[in-house]
């Protein structure tokens, strides 16, 4: 892309009235995405937002770009086809915890495995919002919802370990209430060439209010969140007085920041560190930021290369193709 | 001895039906296709019917594992693979058990007697040896010890006995080549090519093939050998083509004719996988094939590609189409082109994966939630798949709609000579991509086709959003308005109805009026056509309409049908087209229905016609 496009946040705001409940954290995510878009310096006609079904999946209607509001769970697959047909486009996927991890779990893991060049934003409110409050695959064990009045009996997914396990080349987490951090993570995701998975904590004040308070509230967040920075020690606490290190039994453990701490490295080829961070459980802090960012060829580019290579070797000739194999001629007499 | 080997003069025949049958591991499909290729190159018209089990290797020697391949080849036009073989090659007792009943009385039965051991007989479920207990009486039996003769042929090569025994199918092929006076030189070079990487196996198979041929020359088969002159096909260049190959080539051609890239998303399923296999070979045409994680991903990826301005296509069979259903609804709601090829097989559920059936018409026409009309076409034969794909794509592109193209297992795996089309004569498809932002409304419609603009990402000023929620009739924005919903439902229905305006007049074969009109569709084309020829030769007044367009039905169909006293609808289901004709047109018809996973015999259709049409001489 040559030259700076003169785009502003308002260029990405569509003429549609936004219909989320008052106080929904989706508003903050939308505003942050719209704010970050001009920085990508991509003409908006080259941007497509693809979503599934859910409150979060209404997102494309509010972006003044191309967009598809698809069917429940299938956004990663729709986007894969789009990206393979048009590798030059910038394609975002917006999905929810139900959309992306329940009905569409299969498509999500395969899009990550294939490393399709997609930016996948998973809005996790740990509940089914649009269908009015049933348990989701990220609802904590024992959670009482409309569909689980006695509490859920199934364990939730950890979206980060799931994405890492599926082979995602970029995995990050942020939270809708910290829009500065969210914007940073979105910029990183957009810059990543390959499947970028961004897990976003998103409060649903109507059906699951306060789902992330234990980590993200002002009074607790310094101790309960671990802000990841590439090449920097893994430290947390009000004055960064606590650090993570490798303890006995191949485990991460927290202790006072004395001497050396484990240093974060997003680019590690093996999954050991990213997985260990992704799997941290309270009382250890929850990781925020980029866990993994590695470069691998994308499926859309590989497929296109195969086509171009084939065309170089054998220029397309439909007549020759039809006439291949054993051909014979019947004369006119 | 030398007198016997002197060539006998072949007897001329008009046509013959040959069936090769053996264990799945015996290479019967290969034997059949090799014989077919030679028949095609010889200039015969032909039709084939491969019939194989769902299991890759069912227990050897059992009837469950029997694989068959039938070909009818002739000096005249051929429409079906034939009802009853004139010659049956049975490689083992199980093949004999499954296929003997089909052999024409007095037909030629070629068996490998080495495989009729007590163990083989028991595995195949014979209580006593059919070769000696009178079972094969009434047939002309040629009993040969294939095992011994291939061993002798390969003597001195130093090949393991296992490899030598694997050449038995070429021995059988050689014999049948002799039987129908075929050109051995061509086959020998084909064998060399096929086994180019293993010259020792090439030589063994070539020797077995020749041994089979020579065995024929020395045998005392009454009145054999035969010869069948080339058919007087229309002048042109031909090749033999399988249905699934022609489907793939048709999609490539449709993309070329419309100037679009082809994106094909698919998940393997019998009998649709071969379309994926074929397309995957032809990347140089800008063909993107995507083996998805499931059928839902396959079709939704194709929809994504269509949104991006490609021709999105997918193929599957019944169970897979069931999974694609919701996505087809999305495509019709967002009004984008999408071609869905349905290779029908025996259902419901997993049903009979490798057997043919026509029971997915309802699924195609009616099987979605909401008022969700979709044009549905059917292909009638292997070569016809090419044209059918282009026509399905034309409708999909011009009307911005998903289109279902019904094929079936027998069409996909069957083959026939294909008169290669003149590329210049292929229809052009105008994709009419919208580029002008002036006055752009995503759901504005073309006054004639009612198609909405196809505005693809990358086009400045046309940024817009589509989705499965009901659309405002002009802006395409989400609308819950009651009147708008009804208007949109009716508009989508009207758009699909208007596709019928572009059909050519319905073609009637046979008598233009009379006692019976046969209305058929899909893979029954061959049997019905032949039955009609036979019935008319016997003096009946019958016409035949073979439907390309299942939905919407041709506008002139009722008028055509009114010229006959009865309408017969033969189908390999319990009457789905019949109910469709009644529902859509109020047409009363008589059904002929068979659901055995097998095509119609010509005789079955003919006798159904006879029941409705008094013979001319009976009237007189
Ligand atoms: C095939 C199908 N099944 C079920 C639904 C109903 N449905 C709509 S949204 C949804 C759950 C959405 O939850 P989530 O993805 O977490 O999104 P949120 O609303 O919480 O943002 C369900 C079950 C549907 N639209 N389609
Ligand atoms: S239900 Fe919850 S997630 Fe959905 S819009 Fe309302 S607040 Fe947001
Ligand atoms: Mg949710």
């Amino acid at each position: 892309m040559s030259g700076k496009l003169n785009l502003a946040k308002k260029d990405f705001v569509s003429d549609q009235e936004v219909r989320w409940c008052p106080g929904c954290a989706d508003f903050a995510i939308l505003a942050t995405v719209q704010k970050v878009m001009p920085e990508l310096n991509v003409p908006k006609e080259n941007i497509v937002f693809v979503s599934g079904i859910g409150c979060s999946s209404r997102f494309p209607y509010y972006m003044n770009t191309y967009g598809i509001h698809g069917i429940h769970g299938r956004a990663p697959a729709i986007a894969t086809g789009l990206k393979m047909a048009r590798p030059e486009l910038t394609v975002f996927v917006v999905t929810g915890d139900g959309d992306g991890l329940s009905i569409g779990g299969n498509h999500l893991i395969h899009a990550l495995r294939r490393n399709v060049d997609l930016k996948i934003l998973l809005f996790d409110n740990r509940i089914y919002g649009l269908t009015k409050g049933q348990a989701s695959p990220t609802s904590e064990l024992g959670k009482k919802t409309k569909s689980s009045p006695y509490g859920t009996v199934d364990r939730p997914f950890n979206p980060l370990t799931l994405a890492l396990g599926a082979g995602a080349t970029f995995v990050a987490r942020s939270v809708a209430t910290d829009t500065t951090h969210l914007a940073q993570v979105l910029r990183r995701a957009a810059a990543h060439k390959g499947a970028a998975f961004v897990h976003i904590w998103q409060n649903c004040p109507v059906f699951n209010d306060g789902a992330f308070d234990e980590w993200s509230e002002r009074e607790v967040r310094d101790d309960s969140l671990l802000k990841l920075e590439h090449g920097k020690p893994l430290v947390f606490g009000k004055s960064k007085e606590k650090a993570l290190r490798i303890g006995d039994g191949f485990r991460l453990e927290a202790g006072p920041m004395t001497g050396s701490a484990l240093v974060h490295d997003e680019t590690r080829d093996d999954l050991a560190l990213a997985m260990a961070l992704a799997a941290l459980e309270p009382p250890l802090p929850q990781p925020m930021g980029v866990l993994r960012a590695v470069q691998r060829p994308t499926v859309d580019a590989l497929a296109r290369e195969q086509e171009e290579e084939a065309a170089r070797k054998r220029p397309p000739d439909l007549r020759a193709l039809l006439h291949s194999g054993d051909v014979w001629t019947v004369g006119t007499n | 001895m030398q007198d016997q080997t002197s060539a006998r003069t072949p007897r001329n025949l008009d046509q013959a039906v040959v069936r090769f049958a053996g264990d799945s591991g015996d290479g019967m499909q290969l034997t059949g296709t090799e014989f077919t290729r030679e028949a095609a190159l010889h200039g015969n018209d032909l039709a084939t019917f491969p019939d194989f089990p769902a299991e890759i290797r069912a227990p050897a020697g059992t009837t469950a594992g029997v694989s068959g391949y039938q070909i009818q080849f002739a000096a005249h036009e051929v429409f079906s693979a034939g009802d009853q073989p004139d010659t049956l090659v049975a490689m083992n007792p199980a093949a004999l058990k499954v296929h003997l009943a089909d052999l024409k009385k007095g037909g030629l039965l070629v068996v490998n007697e080495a495989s009729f051991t007590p163990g083989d007989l028991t595995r195949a479920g014979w209580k006593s040896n059919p070769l000696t207990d009178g079972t094969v009486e009434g047939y002309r039996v040629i009993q040969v010890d294939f095992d011994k003769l291939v061993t002798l042929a390969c003597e001195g090569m130093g090949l393991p006995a296992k490899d030598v025994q694997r050449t038995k199918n070429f021995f059988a092929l050689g014999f049948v080549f002799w039987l129908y006076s075929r050109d051995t030189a061509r086959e020998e070079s084909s064998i060399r090519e096929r086994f180019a990487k293993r010259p020792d196996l090439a030589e063994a198979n070539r020797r077995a093939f020749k041994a089979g041929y020579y065995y024929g020359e020395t045998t005392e088969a009454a009145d054999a050998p035969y010869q069948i002159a080339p058919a007087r096909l229309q002048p042109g260049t031909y090749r033999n083509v399988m249905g699934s190959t022609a489907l793939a080539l048709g999609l490539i051609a449709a993309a070329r004719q419309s100037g679009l890239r082809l994106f094909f998303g698919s998940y393997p399923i019998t009998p649709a996988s071969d379309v994926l296999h074929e397309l995957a070979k032809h990347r140089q045409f800008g063909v993107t094939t995507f083996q998805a994680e499931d059928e839902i991903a396959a079709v939704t990826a194709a929809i994504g590609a269509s949104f991006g301005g490609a021709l999105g296509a997918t193929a599957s069979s019944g169970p897979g189409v069931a999974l694609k259903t919701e996505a087809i609804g999305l495509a019709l709601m967002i009004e984008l082109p999408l071609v869905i090829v349905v290779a029908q097989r025996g259902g419901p559920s997993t049903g009979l994966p490798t057997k043919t059936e026509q029971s997915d018409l309802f699924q195609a026409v009616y099987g979605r939630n909401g008022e969700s009309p979709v044009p549905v076409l059917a292909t009638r034969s292997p070569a016809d798949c090419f044209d059918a794909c282009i026509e399905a794509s034309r409708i999909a592109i011009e009307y911005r709609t998903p289109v279902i193209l019904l094929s079936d297992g027998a069409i996909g795996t069957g083959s026939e000579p294909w008169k290669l089309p003149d590329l210049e004569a292929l229809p052009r498809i105008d994709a009419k991509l919208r580029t002008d932002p002036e006055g752009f409304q995503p759901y504005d419609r073309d006054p004639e086709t009612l198609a909405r603009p196809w505005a693809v990402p990358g086009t400045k000023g046309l940024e817009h959003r589509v989705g499965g929620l009901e659309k405002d009739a002009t802006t395409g924005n989400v609308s819950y308005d009651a009147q708008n919903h009804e208007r949109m439902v009716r508009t989508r229905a009207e758009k699909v109805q208007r596709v019928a305006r572009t059909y050519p007049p319905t073609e009637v074969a046979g008598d233009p009026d009379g006692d019976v009109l046969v209305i058929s569709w899909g893979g029954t084309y061959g049997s019905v056509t032949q039955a009609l020829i036979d019935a008319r030769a016997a003096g009946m007044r019958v016409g035949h309409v073979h439907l390309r367009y299942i939905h919407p039905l041709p506008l002139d169909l009722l008028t055509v049908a009114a010229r006959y006293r009865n309408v017969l609808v033969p189908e390999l289901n319990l009457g789905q087209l019949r109910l469709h004709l009644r529902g859509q047109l109020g047409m009363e018809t008589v059904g002929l229905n068979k659901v055995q996973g097998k095509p119609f015999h010509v005789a079955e259709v003919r006798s159904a016609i006879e029941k409705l049409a008094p013979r001319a001489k009976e009237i007189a």
Side-chain angles (χ1 to χ4, degrees):
Chain A
M1 206 86 36
S2 57
K4 177 95 179 70
L5 300 164
N6 265 327
L7 289 167
K9 179 179 175 187
K10 65 170 178 9
D11 293 316
F12 290 91
V13 178
S14 82
D15 60 359
Q16 294 301 291
E17 182 196 354
V18 183
R19 295 201 191 150
W20 286 311
C21 310
C24 177
D26 288 350
F27 284 102
I29 305 176
L30 175 64
T32 310
V33 170
Q34 286 167 335
K35 188 181 119 215
V36 169
M37 290 318 279
E39 299 173 27
L40 309 187
N41 202 36
V42 175
K44 61 185 180 146
E45 65 269 20
N46 288 350
I47 300 172
V48 187
F49 277 81
V50 182
S51 68
I53 299 290
C55 297
S56 36
S57 287
R58 295 291 172 95
F59 200 90
Y61 289 124
Y62 309 135
M63 294 296 299
N64 191 14
T65 62
Y66 283 91
I68 311 177
H69 179 219
I71 46 177
H72 200 18
R74 319 303 173 194
I78 296 173
T80 298
L82 173 63
K83 184 71 189 178
M84 289 183 78
R86 298 286 305 279
E88 75 279 18
L89 298 175
T90 298
V91 183
F92 283 80
V93 168
V94 176
T95 181
D97 44 319
D99 192 66
L101 298 175
S102 192
I103 192 166
N106 198 26
H107 309 304
L108 180 69
I109 57 175
H110 285 278
L112 296 175
R113 161 179 85 82
R114 295 188 178 107
N115 198 30
V116 195
D117 185 19
L118 303 173
K119 317 304 148 208
I120 303 173
L121 316 183
L122 187 136
F123 296 14
D124 186 1
N125 51 13
R126 309 187 83 171
I127 200 82
Y128 283 8
L130 191 68
T131 47
K132 302 194 163 70
Q134 300 84 1
S136 93
T138 53
S139 297
E140 56 280 18
L141 182 64
K143 185 174 189 74
K144 291 194 167 127
T145 71
K146 269 192 203 151
S147 59
S148 57
Y150 293 93
T152 57
V153 290
D154 43 356
R155 300 190 67 84
F157 268 140
N158 174 334
L160 298 178
T161 56
L162 185 82
L164 288 167
T169 52
F170 181 98
V171 177
R173 177 192 276 150
S174 192
V175 54
T177 45
D178 186 348
T179 52
T180 313
H181 185 263
L182 177 60
Q184 276 166 16
V185 166
L186 290 174
R187 274 180 214 114
R188 288 288 314 276
H192 178 74
K193 188 84 191 140
F197 177 78
V198 183
H199 180 216
I200 305 171
W201 283 341
Q202 171 244 324
N203 192 44
C204 165
V206 177
F207 295 111
N208 198 17
D209 197 21
F212 306 101
D213 286 358
E214 59 176 304
W215 296 288
S216 56
E217 277 299 282
R218 196 170 295 275
E219 328 61 87
V220 291
R221 68 186 182 201
D222 288 334
D223 286 322
S224 59
L225 296 181
L226 173 71
K227 291 264 176 83
L228 305 172
E229 278 182 81
H230 181 60
K232 299 274 171 63
L234 293 162
V235 291
F236 60 106
K238 240 184 201 65
S239 45
K240 308 280 181 221
E241 73 285 5
K242 290 181 262 187
L244 285 189
R245 57 176 161 259
I246 300 173
D248 291 341
F250 209 64
R251 244 194 318 242
L252 288 185
E253 59 181 34
M257 175 64 194
T258 46
S260 66
L262 197 53
V263 173
H264 183 45
D265 182 358
E266 307 162 353
T267 62
R268 271 173 66 162
D269 204 50
D270 69 286
L271 285 175
L273 178 62
M275 268 292 184
L277 293 170
L280 289 174
E281 296 269 0
L284 289 171
Q286 290 291 293
M288 280 288 154
V290 180
L291 287 95
R292 176 177 170 83
V294 296
Q295 284 307 311
R296 297 272 160 80
T298 66
V299 74
D300 38 295
L302 287 175
R304 194 47 69 96
E305 267 168 42
Q306 274 191 354
E307 288 160 30
E308 285 164 1
E309 176 68 16
R312 264 194 302 278
K313 284 198 184 130
R314 268 186 302 168
D317 178 347
L318 185 58
R319 191 178 179 281
L321 176 63
L322 298 191
H323 287 246
S324 58
D326 294 306
V327 166
W328 71 96
T329 303
V330 175
T332 34
N333 50 339
Chain B
M1 213 35 200
Q2 52 267 70
D3 286 345
Q4 277 177 328
T5 51
S6 66
R8 278 162 281 179
T9 320
R11 216 161 68 84
N12 277 313
L13 298 179
D14 274 350
Q15 88 251 354
V17 178
V18 176
R19 188 183 295 176
F20 297 95
D23 214 54
S24 311
D26 281 340
M28 290 297 95
Q29 300 303 321
L30 173 62
T31 314
T33 39
E34 288 298 292
F35 190 74
T36 299
R37 197 174 47 85
E38 180 54 34
L41 291 174
H42 184 75
N44 296 132
D45 195 12
L46 63 89
T48 68
F49 178 59
D51 183 18
F52 39 84
E55 293 75 20
I56 302 304
R57 289 284 158 89
T62 63
T63 53
V66 172
S67 168
Y69 187 104
Q70 181 163 316
I71 168 173
Q72 171 156 231
F73 55 113
H76 51 70
E77 231 184 319
V78 164
F79 299 101
S80 80
D83 288 6
Q84 293 181 297
D86 301 294
T87 298
L88 171 66
V89 177
M91 303 292 284
N92 68 4
L96 186 69
K97 182 113 197 158
V98 174
H99 293 291
L100 183 64
D102 292 342
L103 183 60
K104 215 172 257 175
K105 279 288 162 233
L108 201 64
L109 173 65
V110 185
V111 290
N112 175 14
E113 71 182 10
S115 72
F116 283 69
T117 63
D120 290 324
L121 290 168
T122 313
R123 259 193 299 282
W126 290 107
K127 298 233 154 51
S128 58
N129 190 341
L131 300 181
T132 54
D133 69 1
T135 304
V136 297
E137 230 162 71
Y139 303 102
R140 292 175 297 145
V141 184
I142 298 183
Q143 263 175 253
V144 200
D145 187 334
F146 288 25
D147 296 28
K148 191 171 99 200
L149 290 180
V150 296
T151 307
L152 286 174
C154 297
E155 216 166 40
M157 287 187 63
L159 264 191
K162 176 171 67 62
D163 288 345
V164 172
Q165 290 306 311
R166 284 230 183 96
T167 66
K168 279 186 286 197
N169 58 332
F170 277 95
F171 181 90
L173 184 66
F175 180 80
V176 181
F177 261 59
W178 167 78
L179 191 62
Y180 293 100
S181 316
R182 303 276 119 167
D183 181 349
T184 53
R186 260 197 303 245
E187 183 57 30
E188 286 179 70
S189 51
S190 158
I191 293 173
R192 279 195 209 95
E193 250 170 61
R194 173 169 299 277
F195 296 99
K197 292 205 184 98
R198 289 285 308 270
D200 53 338
L201 293 187
E203 177 58 13
N205 280 296
R206 195 194 63 82
R207 287 191 190 189
F209 171 71
K210 289 296 267 194
Y213 192 88
Y214 292 139
Y215 180 82
E217 289 196 340
T218 57
T219 187
E220 293 283 345
D223 82 356
Y226 314 111
Q227 81 184 4
I228 295 175
R232 267 186 295 270
L233 296 175
Q234 278 177 21
T237 305
Y238 286 79
R239 80 182 255 198
N240 197 49
V241 76
M242 268 177 52
S244 24
T245 308
L247 286 168
L249 297 178
L251 286 173
I252 294 174
R256 175 189 187 262
Q257 293 309 99
S258 54
L260 303 173
R261 291 181 66 84
L262 176 63
F263 178 94
F264 184 79
S266 192
Y267 185 79
I269 186 167
T270 303
S273 308
D274 282 337
V275 184
L276 170 64
H277 304 162
E278 184 64 29
L279 281 170
K281 293 184 212 160
H282 306 304
R283 297 233 187 286
Q284 73 271 24
F285 291 91
V287 172
T288 308
T289 56
F290 172 59
Q291 184 183 326
E293 56 271 24
D294 59 24
E295 283 86 351
I296 302 173
V299 66
T300 48
I303 292 172
S306 280
F307 184 74
L311 172 58
T314 184
S316 193
S317 67
V321 177
L323 291 176
K324 293 178 199 284
T325 302
E326 187 194 7
I328 297 172
L330 174 68
L332 80 90
M333 197 72 164
I334 64 182
E335 304 191 37
L336 285 174
L338 174 70
V339 176
I340 306 115
V341 175
V342 180
Q344 298 172 96
R345 64 188 217 182
S349 190
T350 310
L352 301 172
T354 60
K355 307 294 175 191
T356 197
E357 207 163 279
Q358 298 186 297
S359 46
D360 297 338
L361 184 149
F362 284 168
Q363 184 187 38
V365 180
Y366 301 108
R368 282 168 298 281
N369 61 303
E371 294 289 347
S372 48
V374 160
V376 179
L377 278 65
T379 172
R380 67 186 193 193
S381 73
D384 178 58
C385 287
F386 182 81
D387 296 333
C389 264
I390 296 179
E391 177 65 348
S393 306
R394 174 192 72 83
I395 295 171
I397 293 167
E398 288 179 0
Y399 287 81
R400 322 297 198 212
T401 177
V403 173
I404 294 179
L405 174 60
L406 292 168
S407 178
D408 66 44
I411 294 174
T413 53
S415 64
E416 67 179 353
W418 175 29
K419 183 166 176 274
L420 292 166
D422 173 6
L423 290 190
E424 298 313 307
L426 292 182
R428 287 251 151 240
I429 303 171
D430 189 354
K432 287 195 192 141
L433 294 185
R434 171 87 184 211
T435 51
D436 184 7
E438 191 55 41
F440 171 68
Q441 290 291 357
Y443 275 73
D444 237 359
R445 288 176 194 279
D446 178 290
E448 178 54 33
T449 58
L450 298 184
R452 75 172 191 93
W454 191 4
V456 308
T459 322
K460 204 176 163 71
L462 300 188
E463 296 83 1
H464 67 287
R465 277 68 54 194
V466 295
L469 286 169
E470 185 59 281
K471 303 266 148 299
D472 175 83
T474 314
T475 62
N477 289 331
V478 174
S479 167
Y480 299 106
D481 181 82
Q483 295 305 323
N484 178 74
H485 176 54
E486 176 149 351
R487 177 171 165 201
M488 287 300 273
V489 165
R490 290 185 185 280
T491 305
R492 286 186 290 263
E494 171 66 15
K495 181 176 83 164
V496 169
Q497 278 306 323
R498 286 195 186 184
V499 173
R501 294 183 182 176
T502 64
Y503 299 167
T506 295
E507 251 178 69
V508 185
D511 296 303
D513 51 39
D515 291 315
V516 184
L517 175 68
V518 185
I519 301 183
S520 55
W521 66 283
T524 59
Y525 172 73
S527 326
V528 175
T529 300
Q530 190 59 52
L532 203 87
I533 291 171
D534 296 355
R536 293 186 68 226
M540 290 169 250
R541 281 191 67 78
V542 227
H544 177 203
V545 167
H546 196 76
L547 293 175
R548 156 78 82 222
Y549 305 100
I550 305 296
H551 192 73
L553 288 161
L555 301 170
D556 57 357
L557 193 59
L558 264 184
T559 326
V560 170
R563 305 200 296 254
Y564 300 82
R565 287 201 305 122
N566 297 294
V567 178
L568 174 70
V569 181
E571 297 179 85
L572 301 175
N573 60 37
L574 291 185
Q576 299 193 6
L577 179 64
R578 268 187 85 203
L579 191 50
H580 181 53
L581 290 172
R582 182 187 289 169
Q584 298 286 325
L585 305 176
M587 193 188 282
E588 285 305 321
T589 63
V590 178
L592 169 65
N593 304 93
K594 171 172 166 178
V595 267
Q596 300 171 5
K598 292 178 180 173
F600 276 122
H601 284 168
V602 173
E604 291 165 338
V605 182
R606 195 174 51 223
S607 72
I609 295 174
E610 270 165 27
K611 284 202 192 102
L612 297 172
R615 277 163 201 266
K617 59 175 186 298
E618 286 169 9
I619 307 169

